[in-house]
Amino acid sequence: MAKKQFIDVAFDFIIWGINSNIEDYRLCIFLNQHLKWNFKRVHDIEFYSPQIKAVKHFNAYKYKNDADLYTVELIQNKNSGNILIPELKNIDFIFLLNGEEEYFDKETFTDALSKIAGVQSVLPIDVNSLKSKHNLLIRHFNEEPKKKN
């Protein structure tokens, strides 16, 4: 009989929900301009859904601040009628902060984001209250390691 192995995962990141009627790439451009970041497109979050018998895709963007030791990601929550986090069906994007929180100015971020045309609201979300929070980790298991020169 096969042994079951469990992976213990820590959800040591903070998330916000963003409601916006603009496209994901345009939101990244606005964030880059207003906050002097440099979001880049990364591997999509994709996984097979037995309910629709197809692979779901969600666009993702990432900016790593090496000086202040934090990483931020903007992830599509809705794409082609599919929802990444079903409990957040009214949220268009998920903004994820990972790393040194004390170097990330949450108030400046929230104020700057709420001033962007097309952003209706920015809501902090308790990641531990989400049943499908594991969907946020799927891409990290699928990322290819960087090749050594």
Side-chain angles (χ1 to χ4, degrees):
M1 190 156 122
K3 288 185 178 180
K4 290 185 179 182
Q5 292 184 343
F6 295 97
I7 299 173
D8 187 25
V9 179
F11 294 95
D12 57 348
F13 48 83
I14 299 171
I15 62 173
W16 287 265
I18 301 171
N19 287 322
S20 176
N21 59 1
I22 57 179
E23 296 291 328
D24 51 0
Y25 65 90
R26 294 204 54 195
L27 184 56
C28 285
I29 290 170
F30 292 142
L31 287 169
N32 289 343
Q33 291 171 346
H34 291 290
L35 298 170
K36 308 297 185 234
W37 288 344
N38 189 17
F39 268 106
K40 302 273 185 192
R41 181 84 186 259
V42 293
H43 294 286
D44 292 349
I45 293 179
E46 48 187 41
F47 58 95
Y48 180 78
S49 172
Q51 292 89 2
I52 63 170
K53 296 181 180 167
V55 176
K56 294 181 179 182
H57 297 271
F58 301 93
N59 298 342
Y61 301 82
K62 187 178 202 175
Y63 166 67
K64 185 175 182 178
N65 185 321
D66 291 323
D68 292 332
L69 305 173
Y70 66 81
T71 302
V72 290
E73 296 180 65
L74 183 72
I75 303 168
Q76 223 179 14
N77 191 43
K78 297 177 183 178
N79 190 9
S80 302
N82 297 314
I83 301 174
L84 178 64
I85 307 293
E87 302 92 315
L88 303 176
K89 63 182 175 185
N90 295 326
I91 300 293
D92 298 312
F93 300 101
I94 296 168
F95 184 87
L96 189 142
L97 166 67
N98 192 1
E100 297 294 330
E101 297 172 31
E102 56 268 7
Y103 298 116
F104 183 85
D105 190 349
K106 297 172 189 167
E107 289 180 23
T108 301
F109 163 72
T110 305
D111 290 342
L113 193 55
S114 61
K115 291 177 184 173
I116 293 174
V119 172
Q120 286 85 26
S121 63
V122 182
L123 311 163
I125 297 170
D126 178 18
V127 71
N128 293 316
S129 69
L130 301 174
K131 292 179 184 175
S132 52
K133 60 189 168 198
H134 292 83
N135 291 354
L136 295 171
L137 300 176
I138 290 173
R139 184 184 71 261
H140 298 286
F141 291 117
N142 293 332
E143 285 183 344
E144 298 173 14
K146 290 185 178 180
K147 295 179 182 177
K148 293 182 181 179
N149 293 336

